[in-house]
């Protein structure tokens, strides 16, 4: 029953977010009831932990709303929803934000300064040069990272609460918290002990700006200007072979020439040698299928290392490593030992210490002097690999790094990962191909070590020999009882602190794990793996992994990989992939492009329900445009939310018995049509098609408000009796159902309206259940016919230039015999809403309102 004192005189959306978020928290509306949960009753969500560095953007609101509507639906279906929120707070984005925010940079050689005060707080990001930033110790830098991420996470949580995410905030976690470090290190130790993780000295993609290794999944190609340089190599008989290269600065690192095995131009030379220009080093001419006949001159030089193809050739052709690129992006001082002549060493000295750009210029000058540069360089534009967060092209250097096997060189593991992808329910289904293409295209194992500071330490030490050199092939791996551990400050087991760095002592690993190596364990982190086995057994495998489509190759793949290695099974049953947000020019919104929109102002201006409506209107896997100057869809959402609370107030204003029998044909028809909508919305949600569920519900709602409510309001206002009671009961039943159908999408407006007649939250109410019976065709048709007839009456008055409130002496509705026979059942309501004294039905070819006679003043 309605609580009349609860219905406000003028309902409004303003202030509902603060009102209901506070109430939900106090009542524990979204709290995971672990005591009452069973494995069968739980719907668990492996929620994406947003990077806690900077600010959220409108794309976060978009995809996280998709997750929340599913969580709310499942909760109303009676599921115990495990819906945690994590914060991905370690890694490079946080370090960059801390550098700019506090004006500092990390220098591990500096001692710790207690009570350190940074130069400033709240940097605008303009001071990005290292020279402008104060060097601080690693410990001081990490403390600043901790401080800022905690503050950022508070702001993020406040925004998520404003948006209405039905997260259980008691289940939140941080990827850099001690329990997360413990879980990450424990999983890594397991990988090492099972032979899945290993250390190797190998060519590594390297970002010279951030001085860190980069994994395959973190790459992006950018079109960059370059030039082909045609260079001659010398055969023993005095003739030459010409190659074309964009990287002449790497000639000193050249180890072979390579052509396609079927290239008749070079077949005679396979197995012979040439000498390099300027440096006069003998190298072989070899065959490999990756050489391209139609690229340049059809024969290429292999350098260590110019690009990733060089790495493949180097490995598969068993070539020497003569790398000359340093970690700082400059040519190293020490020349390769094959440069033995004074001329070669003198030439190399002109390159040593130079950047790639300067070394290229110097090498071109040397080639011109020697006569080995043929013609002028030819400008081109070609794709160059960058670190996704970097500003300079990646180089390839030889480094010692840690790797986790990912199926690139293990067919059995690759097959298992493809098998898991096949078994996983993808929404939308076509996203599966992206995953399979990534797995099948892997070229190397997952590089998981990073030369950064704010991250999960690799739990490894190395013994030192008598000369204080690390013995890398005998790593000391931490045991579980020592975790969490930081080898850069904690003592290796079996040693004393005094033995750190001493002969026959030990040294700690200073590298940290790739942030994905921790994020890939979000099911374990949130579910309490090895920390709370009972909880983990309840929630794992999870019901759902929601995420963006752009991180299938990183987060989704790496999580599936770690689950296979640790548990031998997929970590979830369903994967839901949201599309991108694009700007009005259909360009993807991203911070790097500078076209992102922060959501706080949008939420304040339009309200959370309106923004959620915009997000929920888009299906999974499809991109959505957002124009902050004209957010049409958000305005439609606000109009819907306002209509919900106004219609609720109107309906609850009728006096009557909610449980009275519904007897009038039009009332029965409306409820039958609503029953169909319930079935459609439920089926859509079960198929993870939230947009279809919203579309079905909203379409019916506007018909309900614009037509049905107008048709029956006079009867509902009328004298007490069976007809009036039928109208009120039907209206109340429909309202209850519609509020529950809308609840996942517009939680604030529906909670407000629901509270006027209910004591418990709508978000804990039972989801409507369709009757399951096949509705009578005539019953379903009546509501539509009545709507069309009402539209005809309104149009007739408009054509007569009369007000819709104008009285009508008589009117005729014509139509097919079956249709007018049905309309006779709703004649009284049509007469009432149209203010018609005499309404006649006649046979006609189509439904039409004719012969409308407006009442005169005297008749009124």
């Amino acid at each position: 029953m309605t609580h009349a004192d609860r219905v406000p005189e003028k309902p409004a959306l303003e202030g509902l977010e603060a009102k209901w978020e506070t109430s939900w928290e106090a009542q524990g509306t979204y709290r995971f009831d672990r005591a009452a949960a069973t494995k069968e009753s739980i719907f668990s969500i492996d929620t994406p932990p947003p990077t806690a560095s900077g600010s959220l953007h409108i794309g976060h609101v978009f995809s996280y709303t998709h997750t929340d509507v599913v969580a709310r639906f499942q909760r109303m279906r009676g599921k115990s929803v495990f819906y945690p929120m994590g914060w991905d707070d370690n890694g490079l984005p946080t370090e960059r934000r801390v550098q700019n925010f506090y004006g500092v940079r990390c220098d591990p050689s500096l001692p710790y300064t207690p009570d350190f005060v940074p130069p400033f707080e709240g940097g605008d990001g303009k001071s990005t040069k290292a020279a402008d930033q104060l060097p601080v110790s690693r410990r001081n830098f990490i403390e600043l990272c901790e401080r800022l991420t905690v503050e950022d996470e508070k702001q993020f949580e406040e925004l998520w609460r404003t948006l209405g995410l039905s997260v259980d905030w008691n289940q939140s976690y941080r990827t850099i918290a001690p329990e997360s470090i413990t879980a990450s290190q424990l999983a890594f130790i397991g990988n090492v002990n099972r032979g899945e993780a290993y250390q190797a000295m190998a060519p590594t993609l390297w970002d010279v700006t951030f001085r860190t290794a980069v994994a395959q999944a973190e790459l992006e190609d950018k079109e960059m200007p370059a030039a082909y340089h045609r260079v001659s190599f010398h055969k023993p008989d005095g003739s030459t072979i010409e190659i074309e290269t964009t990287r002449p600065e790497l000639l000193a690192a050249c180890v072979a020439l390579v052509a396609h095995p079927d290239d008749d131009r070079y077949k005679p030379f396979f197995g012979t040698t040439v000498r390099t220009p300027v440096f006069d080093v003998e190298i072989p001419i070899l065959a490999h299928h990756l050489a391209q006949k139609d690229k340049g001159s059809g024969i290429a030089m292999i350098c260590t290392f110019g690009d990733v193809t060089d790495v493949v050739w180097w490995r598969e052709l068993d070539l020497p490593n003569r790398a000359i690129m340093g970690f700082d992006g400059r040519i190293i001082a020490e020349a390769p030992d094959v440069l033995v002549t004074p001329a070669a060493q003198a030439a190399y000295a002109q390159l040593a210490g130079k950047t790639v750009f300067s070394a290229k210029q110097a090498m071109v000058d040397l080639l011109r002097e020697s006569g080995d540069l043929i013609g002028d360089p030819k400008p081109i534009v070609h794709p160059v690999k960058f670190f996704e967060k970097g500003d300079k092209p990646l180089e390839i250097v030889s480094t010692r790094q840690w790797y986790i096997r990912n199926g690139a060189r293990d067919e059995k593991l690759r097959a298992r990962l493809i098998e898991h992808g096949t078994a996983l329910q993808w929404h939308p289904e076509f996203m599966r191909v992206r995953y399979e293409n990534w797995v099948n295209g892997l070229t190397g194992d997952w590089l998981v070590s990073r030369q950064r500071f704010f991250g999960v330490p690799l739990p490894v030490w190395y013994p030192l020999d008598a000369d204080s050199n690390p013995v890398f092939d005998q790593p000391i791996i931490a045991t579980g009882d020592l975790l969490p551990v930081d080898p850069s400050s904690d003592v290796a087991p079996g040693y004393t602190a005094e033995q750190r760095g001493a002969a026959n002592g030990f040294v700690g690993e200073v590298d940290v794990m790739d942030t994905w190596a921790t994020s890939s364990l979000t099911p374990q982190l949130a579910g309490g793996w090895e920390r709370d086995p009972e909880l983990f057994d309840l929630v794992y495998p999870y019901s759902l992994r929601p995420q963006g489509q752009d991180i299938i190759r990183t987060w989704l793949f790496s999580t599936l990989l770690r689950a296979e290695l640790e548990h031998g099974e997929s970590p979830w049953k369903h994967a839901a992939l949201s599309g991108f947000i694009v700007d009005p020019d259909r360009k993807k919104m991203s911070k790097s492009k500078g076209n992102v929109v922060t959501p706080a102002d949008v939420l304040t201006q339009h309200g959370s329900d309106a923004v959620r409506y915009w997000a929920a209107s888009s299906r999974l896997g499809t991109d959505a445009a957002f124009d902050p100057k004209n957010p049409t869809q958000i305005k439609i959402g606000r109009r819907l939310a306002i209509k919900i609370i106004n219609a609720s107030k109107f309906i609850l204003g009728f006096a009557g018995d909610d449980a009275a029998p519904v007897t009038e044909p039009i009332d029965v028809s409306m409820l039958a049509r609503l029953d169909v909508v319930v079935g459609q919305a439920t089926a859509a949600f079960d198929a993870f098609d939230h947009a279809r569920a919203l579309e079905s519900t909203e379409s019916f709602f506007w018909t309900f408000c614009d037509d049905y409510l107008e048709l029956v309001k006079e009867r509902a206002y009328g004298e007490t009796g069976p007809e009036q009671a039928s109208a009120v009961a039907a209206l109340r039943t429909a309202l209850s159902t519609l509020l529950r159908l809308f609840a996942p999408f517009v939680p604030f407006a529906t909670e407000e309206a629901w509270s006027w007649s209910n004591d418990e939250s709508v978000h804990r109410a039972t989801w409507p259940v369709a009757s399951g019976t096949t509705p009578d065709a005539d019953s379903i048709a009546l509501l539509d016919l009545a709507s069309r007839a009402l539209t005809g009456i309104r149009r007739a008055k408009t054509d007569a230039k009369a007000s819709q409130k104008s009285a009508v002496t008589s009117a005729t509705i014509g139509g097919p015999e079956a249709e007018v026979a049905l309309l006779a059942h709703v004649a009284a309501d049509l007469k009432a809403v149209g203010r018609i004294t005499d309404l006649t039905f006649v046979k006609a070819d189509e439904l039409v309102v004719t012969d409308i006679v407006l009442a005169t003043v005297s008749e009124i």
Side-chain angles (χ1 to χ4, degrees):
M1 295 295 292
T2 305
H3 295 270
D5 58 324
R6 297 184 186 177
V7 182
E9 184 176 345
K10 293 183 179 180
L13 299 181
E14 286 70 26
L16 294 186
E17 290 88 352
K19 172 184 176 180
W20 287 112
E21 188 282 316
T22 301
S23 175
W24 293 332
E25 180 64 26
Q27 299 298 322
T29 304
Y30 307 125
R31 205 150 295 154
F32 173 61
D33 187 356
R34 175 173 171 175
T38 64
K39 197 171 185 69
E40 294 70 30
S41 70
I42 287 177
F43 188 89
S44 50
I45 303 173
D46 183 16
T47 320
T51 301
S53 58
S55 60
L56 296 169
H57 59 76
I58 199 69
H60 289 102
V61 168
F62 181 69
S63 58
Y64 281 77
T65 297
H66 294 170
T67 305
D68 189 62
V69 296
V70 173
R72 289 180 177 277
F73 166 72
Q74 292 291 345
R75 192 179 289 110
M76 295 176 74
R77 286 291 291 277
K79 290 289 188 178
S80 297
V81 176
F82 181 71
Y83 186 13
M85 179 62 70
W87 306 112
D88 192 7
D89 34 22
N90 72 82
L92 182 59
T94 298
E95 292 186 21
R96 295 179 71 178
R97 173 157 162 73
V98 166
Q99 289 170 350
N100 294 332
F101 191 85
Y102 293 116
V104 299
R105 60 181 172 86
C106 183
D107 184 344
S109 67
L110 295 176
Y112 175 66
T113 302
D115 303 319
F116 172 75
V117 178
F120 55 80
E121 292 190 18
D124 56 10
K126 295 179 181 179
S127 178
T128 56
K129 295 182 180 179
D132 298 331
Q133 296 168 344
L134 178 68
V136 297
S137 73
R138 176 172 179 166
R139 183 176 167 188
N140 286 123
F141 186 75
I142 289 175
E143 286 179 353
L144 292 175
C145 290
E146 288 275 6
R147 183 198 305 179
L148 190 55
T149 53
V150 168
E151 291 305 311
D152 283 345
E153 286 156 15
K154 290 178 181 177
Q155 295 180 30
F156 285 17
E157 180 178 334
E158 182 178 348
L159 188 142
W160 285 147
R161 288 179 180 272
T162 300
L163 182 63
L165 295 193
S166 58
V167 164
D168 180 355
W169 293 102
N170 292 327
Q171 303 295 336
S172 59
Y173 63 91
R174 304 176 66 228
T175 59
I176 201 64
E179 57 270 19
S180 295
I181 295 175
T182 296
S184 299
Q185 292 180 334
L186 191 62
F188 177 80
I189 292 168
N191 294 139
V192 173
N193 292 339
R194 292 190 298 268
E196 299 154 359
Y198 63 92
Q199 189 181 195
M201 190 76 176
T204 306
L205 288 161
W206 186 266
D207 188 282
V208 299
T209 302
F210 299 110
R211 304 286 182 92
T212 186
V214 177
Q216 182 183 353
E218 299 171 303
L219 305 182
E220 65 177 36
D221 285 340
K222 295 182 182 179
E223 294 292 324
M224 300 293 291
Y228 270 134
H229 304 75
R230 196 169 186 94
V231 177
S232 59
F233 284 67
H234 304 275
K235 294 192 292 185
D237 63 5
S239 61
T240 61
I241 288 182
E242 297 175 1
I243 64 100
E244 290 191 0
T245 179
T246 61
R247 304 215 57 180
E249 71 276 12
L250 296 180
L251 264 169
C254 184
V255 292
L257 297 187
V258 63
H260 196 277
D262 298 332
D263 195 328
D264 292 333
R265 293 173 295 176
Y266 300 109
K267 275 184 180 180
F269 306 122
F270 293 149
T272 66
T273 63
V274 291
R275 301 191 76 84
T276 62
V278 178
F279 300 107
D280 196 33
V281 175
E282 187 177 35
I283 59 171
I285 302 176
L286 305 172
H288 194 279
H289 69 278
L290 289 182
Q292 298 173 257
K293 297 180 187 180
D294 58 350
K295 185 176 181 180
S297 62
I299 188 167
M301 71 172 184
I302 303 174
C303 298
T304 51
F305 297 92
D307 58 24
V308 291
T309 308
D310 278 343
V311 176
V312 175
W313 283 329
W314 167 80
R315 181 179 290 115
E316 295 187 4
L317 297 173
D318 195 23
L319 297 169
N321 188 341
R322 296 170 187 160
I324 62 171
M325 186 62 62
F327 296 157
D328 58 356
R330 295 175 181 269
I331 306 299
I332 61 175
E334 186 177 353
D337 56 11
V338 293
L339 272 59
V340 293
T341 68
Q345 293 172 351
Y348 186 85
Q350 295 186 47
L351 307 179
K354 284 185 166 60
T355 63
V356 169
F357 177 81
S358 298
K360 184 174 295 184
Q361 294 299 114
M363 193 68 238
V364 168
D365 292 341
L366 289 168
L367 287 167
R368 281 202 176 101
E369 291 174 13
S370 69
D372 292 310
L373 182 67
I374 313 301
D376 293 325
K378 295 183 294 186
I380 63 166
V381 174
H382 68 158
V384 177
K385 296 203 177 298
F386 281 71
F387 176 35
E388 60 187 1
K389 297 180 176 65
D391 302 318
K392 294 182 179 179
L394 292 172
E395 296 295 342
I396 299 177
V397 300
S398 293
T399 61
R400 185 174 296 278
Q401 303 285 350
W402 281 94
Y403 298 83
I404 291 179
R405 302 187 193 280
N406 63 2
R409 301 187 181 92
D410 184 338
E411 287 299 327
K412 185 177 179 181
L413 177 56
R414 187 196 299 261
R416 283 286 292 159
L417 294 171
I418 292 293
E419 182 182 325
H420 288 317
T422 302
L424 186 62
Q425 298 297 305
W426 295 79
H427 308 283
E429 170 64 26
F430 68 79
M431 290 290 179
R432 182 197 312 276
V433 176
R434 301 189 185 188
Y435 169 80
E436 292 175 347
N437 288 344
W438 174 252
V439 176
N440 288 321
L442 289 167
T443 58
D445 286 331
W446 179 14
L447 190 156
V448 296
S449 49
R450 292 291 182 273
Q451 292 66 53
R452 301 304 304 169
F453 312 112
F454 189 52
V456 175
L458 287 158
V460 180
W461 298 264
Y462 305 98
L464 299 177
D465 61 17
D467 296 322
S468 298
N469 296 314
V471 185
F472 288 112
D473 59 358
Q474 298 177 23
I476 303 165
I477 308 299
T479 53
D481 59 302
L482 298 177
L483 307 182
V485 68
D486 183 356
S488 67
S489 57
D490 295 330
V491 177
Y495 293 85
T496 63
E498 290 72 26
Q499 291 178 281
R500 182 184 294 275
N504 298 313
F506 74 97
V507 64
E509 175 66 80
V510 296
D511 287 357
V512 298
M513 293 186 196
D514 169 19
T515 184
W516 291 113
T518 299
S519 298
S520 61
L521 296 169
T522 51
Q524 289 82 0
L525 300 182
W529 172 66
E530 295 295 326
R531 184 183 77 248
D532 189 342
E534 180 185 292
L535 175 63
F536 190 68
D537 184 61
L538 278 173
V539 303
Y540 192 91
Y542 284 64
S543 307
L544 175 66
R545 155 59 72 85
Q547 64 166 73
Q549 59 180 318
D550 54 329
I551 50 175
I552 290 175
R553 65 179 187 173
T554 48
W555 192 38
L556 189 145
F557 168 73
S558 62
T559 310
L560 226 166
L561 170 66
R562 300 302 288 281
E564 163 59 22
L565 296 178
E566 193 64 47
H567 311 291
E569 63 179 335
S570 174
W572 341 273
K573 301 178 182 69
H574 297 269
L577 291 305
S578 295
F580 294 130
I581 294 300
V582 295
D583 64 17
D585 296 326
R586 304 302 296 182
K587 295 178 182 178
K588 177 191 173 186
M589 284 192 178
S590 67
K591 291 181 180 179
S592 62
K593 290 184 173 66
N595 61 349
V596 299
V597 176
T598 54
D601 291 343
V602 179
L603 291 168
T604 300
Q605 180 179 356
H606 301 284
S608 297
D609 280 343
V611 176
R612 288 174 63 100
Y613 170 88
W614 158 75
S617 297
S618 290
R619 284 177 168 80
L620 291 172
T622 60
D623 298 343
F626 182 77
D627 183 356
K629 295 181 180 178
N630 187 26
T632 303
Q633 199 73 359
I634 290 179
K635 292 178 180 178
I636 293 172
R638 181 173 177 81
R639 176 172 168 252
L640 173 65
I642 291 172
K643 189 67 174 180
I644 287 172
I645 59 174
N646 286 338
S648 298
K649 174 181 170 64
F650 187 62
I651 291 170
L652 294 174
F654 296 121
D657 182 1
D658 297 9
V662 176
T663 56
E664 294 300 295
I666 189 63
D667 304 334
V668 173
S669 177
M670 181 274 293
L671 292 179
R673 183 68 188 89
L674 180 55
D675 187 65
V676 173
V677 171
V678 169
Q680 291 172 338
T682 304
F685 261 124
D686 284 338
F688 290 85
D689 190 353
H690 57 260
R692 178 73 182 111
L694 174 58
E695 181 183 348
S696 298
T697 304
E698 184 186 9
S699 176
F700 174 85
F701 177 72
W702 288 115
T703 297
F704 172 80
C705 291
D706 294 344
D707 296 338
Y708 175 77
L709 192 52
E710 289 299 311
L711 274 170
V712 303
K713 67 179 182 181
E714 296 300 329
R715 177 156 49 93
Y717 274 131
E719 294 183 4
T720 303
E723 294 84 358
Q724 189 267 352
S726 176
V728 172
L731 286 167
R732 297 279 180 84
T733 300
L735 177 62
S736 172
T737 301
L738 285 166
L739 290 178
R740 286 177 286 158
L741 289 175
F742 276 126
F745 306 104
V746 284
F748 295 102
T750 52
E751 184 75 297
E752 174 71 7
W754 184 266
S755 71
W756 301 336
S757 56
N758 296 274
D759 293 325
E760 78 284 359
S761 169
V762 69
H763 304 297
R764 283 290 183 179
T766 302
W767 181 258
V769 178
S771 65
T773 60
T774 302
D776 177 78
D778 286 347
S779 180
I780 287 290
L782 180 57
L783 179 61
D784 177 61
L785 283 173
S787 297
R788 289 162 58 196
L790 179 57
T791 300
I793 293 170
R794 289 167 172 163
R795 185 182 299 116
K797 287 188 176 183
T798 300
D799 291 344
K801 295 183 171 53
S803 165
Q804 292 300 321
K805 295 182 180 180
S806 299
V808 175
T809 301
S810 64
T812 301
I813 297 179
E817 187 174 354
E819 292 186 356
V820 294
L822 276 175
L823 282 175
H825 293 298
V826 72
D829 287 330
L830 286 171
K831 290 170 66 176
V833 71
R835 299 195 173 189
I836 302 169
T837 302
D838 184 16
L839 181 60
T840 304
F841 295 97
V842 298
K843 186 178 178 180
D845 292 336
E846 61 181 1
L847 190 67
V848 60
V849 177
T850 61
D851 302 328
I852 191 165
V853 178
L854 297 175
T856 63
V857 175
S858 62
E859 290 174 319
I860 298 172

